[in-house]
Amino acid sequence: MEKLEGEKHVKYILSVEKRKDDFESLVMDHLRINGAYWGLTTLDLLHKLDCVDQEEAVSWVMQCYHEDCGGFGGNVGHDPHLLYTLSAVQILVLFDKLDVLDVEKVSNYVSGLQNEDGSFSGDMWGEIDTRFSYCAICCLSILHRMDKINVEKAVNYIVSCKNLDGGFGCTPGGESHAGQIFCCIGALAITGSLHHVDKDLLGWWLCERQCKDGGLNGRPEKFADVCYSWWVLSSLIIIDRAHWIDKSKLINFILNCQDKEKGGISDRPDNAVDVFHTYFGVAGANYLSV
Amino acid sequence: MGGSSCFHVDGMMLLKQLEVILERDTLINEIGFVHPSQLATLDRSPDATHYDETAFWNKDHKLAISTEILQHLYRAVMQEYMNVKKRLEGLIKQSIGKYSSDSPTFGSDSDHLLESEILKHTMALLILNSDFGSAWNSRKMVIVRKAQLSLLMDELHLCTLILSYSPKSQCTWSHRRWVIEIIGEKFQIMHEIVGQDSELVKQIAEKSKMNYRAWSHLCWLIPYMKGTQVIDELNKSKKWSELHIADNCCFHFRRRLLFKMLEDISAREDDESCINQKIEVYFLWKEELEWNESLISRYIGREALWLHRRFLSQCYINYFTIDHETCNSNGEDFHGIHSTLDDFLDKELELLLHSLDVTDNEFEDTQVQAQHATSYIIWISKQVPPHKHEKLQSRLQEMDLKPIMIKLCADKPHLCVSPLLQDYNSNV
C-alpha cells in the first residue's frame, strides 16, 4: 500500500541543504531563500524542523536583509524583492523568530510597493503581477500591519484580474492560471473579500484541472504536475469546493511522484525530484490527510 | 569539485574570452551549451581564434559553450559582477540619496567605464543564467540614465537572444516589457515593436508550446495596438491557431483581441461609424463561431476548442442576441442583423447532438468529445435567463439526450447539480 515516505523526504531535504557546486545548483542560487522556505516548511510539516540549526538558518536569512530599504534578497548581496521578502518572513515565523525583524521597516518596504491602482510591484523596477499582491498581503498579514496598505484598492485590483471563465491571471486580462488563482484567492481570503468570487464558477474551472491520471494541471491541455496539488487544492478548499475533485485519485498521483528510494518528490512520476515539488507534494498530501 | 577535470580551469581567463567574443560578434542569434565531444565536431573556420577551442565555438553568429566549463565561467562572472555591483551602489549612495531616473548622468570617465563593465559582465552572466534578477536590475540602472534608442534596441536584441534558448525566463520577458515601456514613452515606434514582438512570440511558441509567459507578453501588448492592428493580429494568428489547436494560450490571445473589439464598440456613442464597426464585429464573431465549430468537428475531443466556444457563446449571447420572449434586447439593435436567443440555442443543441453521437464508439477521443459537449451545454445554460432552462430541458428531452448526459456527468459533482439534468417531469 502506497504511503508518504516522510523519513526519506526529510533525508532528501537535508541533503539538498548542503551546497552543491555543479552548474545546475549554482544557477538556483538567486532563489536560495525561496528554496530554504520550501525545504524548512516541508521539514516542519513532517515534524522534523529541529533537524536544522535554527540559529544558523535565522542568521543566514538576516544576511539577505537590506538595512537601507527593509526588503530581503534571494541570497546574500542580491537585490531585494517581494518574493524573497515573503519567504524570509515565513521562515522566521516557522522558527517563531519574528522578533529579530524591524517590523516597521519591513512593512514599510512592502507597503511602499503598492501602486495607485491597488496593484503591487515586485520591486522598485515596477513589474506588476497578482503574485506580488499575494506576497504583500500575506506578508503584512503575518506582521499584523495590513493597515499600511489600501486594502480596498488592493482587492479591487485583484478582482479586476478575474476572467470570464472564473479564473484569475497575472494582470487584467491575463490567462487564467492555477498559480495566479491561488495568489488571488489567497489574498482575497486574507482580506475577507471572498464575496467577490463566484465560487461555483471558479470551482468549475479548478475541478476541470483534474486529469485522467488523477493529478492536477495548472491550465487546460497541460499535463498534471504535483505542485498544482497545492495551488489548485488549496484554492478549492478556500472556496469550499474541494469535494468537486476525486481525492483518492489525487492522493495516488502524489504518492506515485515520490522517489521511494532516495526521497523527494518530482513533478510527475519517474522524473527527477527537487525541493520545490517535494514541498508542494507533501503540503498537498497533508491536506488530504495522507 | 565535480570530478570531470583534473587540471585547474581558469574561469577568469575563460570569462575574458567569452566577453571578447560577445563584444566582437554583436549579431549572435543562437547560443547552445554543448558537451565537449559535440563541441569538437563543430566546423571550424581556418583563421586563428582568440579563444580556447575546447571551451567555445563562434561562427556565423552562433555561439557554443562547453558544458564542462560552465560552473567555472559562472563563478568567475559572479565574482566580477558582484564587485562592479558594489562599486556602482557605492557611487549611487555617494551622489544622491534615493536613486531616480531624474538623477544627473554620470559625467566622469571612470563612471562610464564602470557602466560599461556592468553591461559587459551582466551580459555574460545573463547568458548563463537569465533568471538572476539582480543582474537585469543593474542593466536597468545603467540604461535608465541614458535611454538612447540604440541602447534600448540592444536590450531588446539581448532579450531575443536569451529567449531563443530560455523561452520561459520570467525575468527576461519582464525586462523586455520594461524596455518597451520606455521606448513607448520616448519614441513613436510602438507599431513596429508590436509587429516585431508578435512575430517573436509566434516563433518562440512554435518551439515552446503553451508558453504562458510568451503569450502573456503578447496580450500585454494589445492595449498598444490600434484598431486595424487588432484585426490584423486576429487574421494573422488564425492560421497559427489552426496548427496548434491544443494550445490554449493562442486561443486566449484571440479572446483578448475579440474582447478588446467588444469593449471598443461598447464604449462608443451610437453614431454612423460606430454602427458600422458594430456590424463588423458582429460578423467577425459569427465567423469565429463557425470556424470554431469546424475545428471542433475536425479535431475530436480538444478541450481548448470547447473552452474557446464557451467564451464566444457567452459574449455572443450577451452582446448580439435578442430574447423575443421577454422582448429584452441584450445589447444594441444592430438594424436587423441580430439573432434570436432561441435560434442560437437551437444551433448549439445541434452541435451537442452531433457531438454525443458516440454510443457505440469506444474510441477515447469521442468519449472526451461527448464530455466536453455536455459541459459546454451546461455552461451555456448558466449564461441564459432562468426562464430559458425549461425550454432547454424540454428540447433535451425531445432529442432524448438527457440519459447520456446524465451518464457522462456521473462522476462530475459540479455538473450533476445542473438544473438541466434534473427530472423535468417532476417540475410540472
Side-chain angles (χ1 to χ4, degrees), chain A residues 64-85:
Chain A
C64 299
Y65 178 63
H66 286 256
E67 189 80 49
D68 55 352
C69 67
F72 286 80
N75 207 329
V76 182
H78 293 197
D79 288 354
H81 195 285
L82 258 184
L83 292 170
Y84 308 128
T85 304

Side-chain angles (χ1 to χ4, degrees), chain B residues 263-278 332:
Chain B
E263 284 181 321
D264 285 347
I265 59 174
S266 301
R268 292 181 53 186
E269 291 299 312
D270 225 350
D271 62 14
E272 178 78 46
S273 65
C274 180
I275 304 260
N276 286 333
Q277 212 186 336
K278 285 182 179 178
E332 311 289 322

Side-chain angles (χ1 to χ4, degrees), chain A residues 169-170 174-177 180 219, chain B residues 210-216 249:
Chain A
C170 49
E175 189 187 348
S176 295
H177 181 295
Q180 310 287 155
R219 298 181 273 146
Chain B
M210 295 187 262
N211 186 327
Y212 186 78
R213 299 202 165 111
W215 288 101
S216 294
C249 290

Side-chain angles (χ1 to χ4, degrees), chain A:
Chain A
M1 162 95 164
E2 294 266 17
K3 65 176 176 73
L4 188 69
E5 304 283 348
E7 268 183 46
K8 300 233 165 76
H9 299 321
V10 169
K11 251 178 144 173
Y12 168 71
I13 301 273
L14 294 174
S15 75
V16 164
E17 197 249 322
K18 298 170 191 19
R19 284 195 55 121
K20 274 195 259 180
D21 280 335
D22 59 347
F23 183 63
E24 284 71 30
S25 305
L26 286 175
V27 297
M28 296 298 212
D29 270 356
H30 64 278
L31 49 73
R32 190 167 171 80
I33 207 167
N34 290 150
Y37 165 71
W38 299 324
L40 292 168
T41 309
T42 308
L43 292 177
D44 188 47
L45 284 169
L46 298 169
H47 311 294
K48 287 285 195 284
L49 189 60
D50 51 8
C51 288
V52 164
D53 184 331
Q54 173 178 306
E55 253 184 65
E56 199 185 320
V58 169
S59 148
W60 177 82
V61 165
M62 291 315 292
Q63 281 182 64
C64 299
Y65 178 63
H66 286 256
E67 189 80 49
D68 55 352
C69 67
F72 286 80
N75 207 329
V76 182
H78 293 197
D79 288 354
H81 195 285
L82 258 184
L83 292 170
Y84 308 128
T85 304
L86 175 61
S87 285
V89 169
Q90 287 172 319
I91 292 170
L92 293 174
V93 165
L94 269 182
F95 291 121
D96 197 16
K97 292 296 278 172
L98 279 181
D99 53 1
V100 308
L101 279 183
D102 180 345
V103 172
E104 194 63 19
K105 191 120 204 204
V106 176
S107 3
N108 284 340
Y109 170 75
V110 173
S111 62
L113 289 167
Q114 184 170 32
N115 301 304
E116 258 312 298
D117 61 359
S119 67
F120 283 85
S121 296
D123 64 11
M124 63 180 268
W125 296 107
E127 185 195 356
I128 293 172
D129 190 313
T130 46
R131 288 178 296 148
F132 307 148
S133 299
Y134 171 73
C135 288
I137 286 169
C138 185
C139 194
L140 290 175
S141 162
I142 292 172
L143 299 176
H144 303 293
R145 292 288 193 282
M146 287 279 275
D147 55 316
K148 283 193 179 283
I149 56 166
N150 186 326
V151 174
E152 195 188 335
K153 277 191 166 180
V155 166
N156 287 343
Y157 178 76
I158 292 170
V159 172
S160 78
C161 295
K162 193 167 41 161
N163 294 317
L164 283 177
D165 59 15
F168 294 77
C170 49
T171 49
E175 189 187 348
S176 295
H177 181 295
Q180 310 287 155
I181 288 171
F182 167 79
C183 291
C184 292
I185 295 302
L188 292 176
I190 293 171
T191 54
S193 316
L194 282 173
H195 53 274
H196 290 289
V197 178
D198 182 336
K199 293 179 182 169
D200 283 341
L201 187 60
L202 177 58
W204 185 316
W205 192 93
L206 288 169
C207 76
E208 285 188 333
R209 298 304 106 239
Q210 187 152 41
C211 307
K212 282 210 164 45
D213 55 12
L216 305 173
N217 64 22
R219 298 181 273 146
E221 299 271 17
K222 299 221 77 177
F223 291 127
D225 181 324
V226 127
C227 67
Y228 293 109
S229 311
W230 171 264
W231 305 124
V232 174
L233 183 58
S234 51
S235 301
L236 280 168
I237 290 171
I238 291 172
I239 59 168
D240 197 24
R241 296 287 185 278
H243 53 286
W244 279 3
I245 56 162
D246 186 327
K247 288 190 182 145
S248 61
K249 275 185 158 182
L250 178 58
I251 290 171
N252 272 340
F253 179 81
I254 296 174
L255 295 180
N256 276 334
C257 292
Q258 300 179 102
D259 181 335
K260 297 180 192 70
E261 280 158 30
K262 303 205 199 104
I265 299 178
S266 59
D267 57 350
R268 51 191 73 96
D270 304 322
N271 275 357
V273 304
D274 58 48
V275 179
F276 177 82
H277 290 96
T278 304
Y279 166 58
F280 290 111
V282 169
N286 202 260
Y287 262 152
L288 299 164
S289 308
V290 178

Side-chain angles (χ1 to χ4, degrees), chain B residues 26-301:
Chain B
T26 56
L27 297 176
I28 292 176
N29 55 38
E30 196 180 321
I31 294 183
F33 302 154
V34 304
H35 194 269
S37 58
Q38 243 186 306
L39 197 72
T41 66
L42 291 172
D43 192 29
R44 307 241 161 233
S45 57
D47 309 323
T49 58
H50 303 276
Y51 52 78
D52 180 343
E53 290 188 351
T54 64
F56 304 107
W57 175 89
N58 171 221
K59 195 175 171 226
D60 302 330
H61 304 305
K62 305 200 185 316
L63 170 64
I65 305 176
S66 163
T67 48
E68 201 128 286
I69 61 157
L70 287 175
Q71 52 166 300
H72 309 283
L73 207 47
Y74 192 71
R75 267 197 225 100
V77 78
M78 271 299 284
Q79 194 180 313
E80 292 291 274
Y81 166 64
M82 292 304 253
N83 281 337
V84 295
K85 182 182 198 297
K86 277 199 186 75
R87 279 161 54 199
L88 179 67
E89 280 159 13
L91 210 61
I92 289 170
K93 270 203 189 92
Q94 272 171 36
S95 48
I96 303 128
K98 186 175 189 292
Y99 188 84
S100 78
S101 55
D102 295 328
S103 307
T105 54
F106 286 147
S108 73
D109 285 342
S110 65
D111 295 338
H112 282 305
L113 198 61
L114 182 59
E115 288 185 338
S116 70
E117 272 188 275
I118 293 259
L119 292 179
K120 184 173 67 172
H121 294 316
T122 52
M123 181 181 283
L125 205 166
L126 289 166
I127 277 172
L128 296 174
N129 181 10
S130 60
D131 285 328
F132 186 30
S134 303
W136 287 114
N137 293 347
S138 299
R139 291 188 80 83
K140 289 183 176 77
M141 270 203 192
V142 169
I143 290 157
V144 82
R145 310 166 87 69
K146 304 181 176 191
Q148 297 145 359
L149 189 57
S150 58
L151 205 64
L152 295 166
M153 295 308 280
D154 281 348
E155 283 310 282
L156 292 185
H157 180 80
L158 177 61
C159 290
T160 302
L161 171 60
I162 290 174
L163 289 170
S164 71
Y165 62 95
S166 291
K168 294 186 184 179
S169 172
Q170 172 71 29
C171 289
T172 310
W173 285 111
S174 172
H175 187 75
R176 191 181 185 87
R177 282 191 285 280
W178 182 84
V179 170
I180 290 175
E181 270 189 332
I182 296 180
I183 292 177
E185 277 167 30
K186 292 183 174 239
F187 309 99
Q188 312 314 319
I189 55 167
M190 277 315 283
H191 188 94
E192 286 92 328
I193 299 277
V194 167
Q196 172 188 302
D197 275 34
S198 170
E199 270 315 300
L200 174 68
V201 166
K202 290 197 191 76
Q203 272 170 36
I204 287 177
E206 193 63 54
K207 294 179 291 179
S208 175
K209 303 271 186 269
M210 295 187 262
N211 186 327
Y212 186 78
R213 299 202 165 111
W215 288 101
S216 294
H217 179 79
L218 199 50
C219 288
W220 178 83
L221 284 167
I222 292 177
Y224 289 101
M225 293 179 194
K226 297 293 183 316
T228 52
Q229 215 169 8
V230 175
I231 295 190
D232 267 346
E233 284 297 320
L234 204 59
N235 290 332
K236 276 197 297 186
S237 69
K238 193 167 190 174
K239 196 72 206 183
W240 202 94
S241 308
E242 277 179 22
L243 298 171
H244 302 83
I245 44 110
D247 193 327
N248 195 54
C249 290
C250 74
F251 286 103
H252 175 82
F253 175 60
R254 292 187 75 76
R255 294 195 274 278
R256 291 313 305 167
L257 291 170
L258 289 165
F259 200 72
K260 181 169 206 292
M261 286 190 242
L262 269 187
E263 284 181 321
D264 285 347
I265 59 174
S266 301
R268 292 181 53 186
E269 291 299 312
D270 225 350
D271 62 14
E272 178 78 46
S273 65
C274 180
I275 304 260
N276 286 333
Q277 212 186 336
K278 285 182 179 178
I279 292 173
E280 192 180 12
V281 176
Y282 170 75
F283 279 113
L284 223 124
W285 218 274
K286 286 198 72 167
E287 205 183 301
E288 188 84 1
L289 274 162
E290 277 163 26
W291 173 66
N292 176 258
E293 187 169 347
S294 73
L295 291 174
I296 281 176
S297 305
R298 205 187 322 162
Y299 302 105
I300 312 280

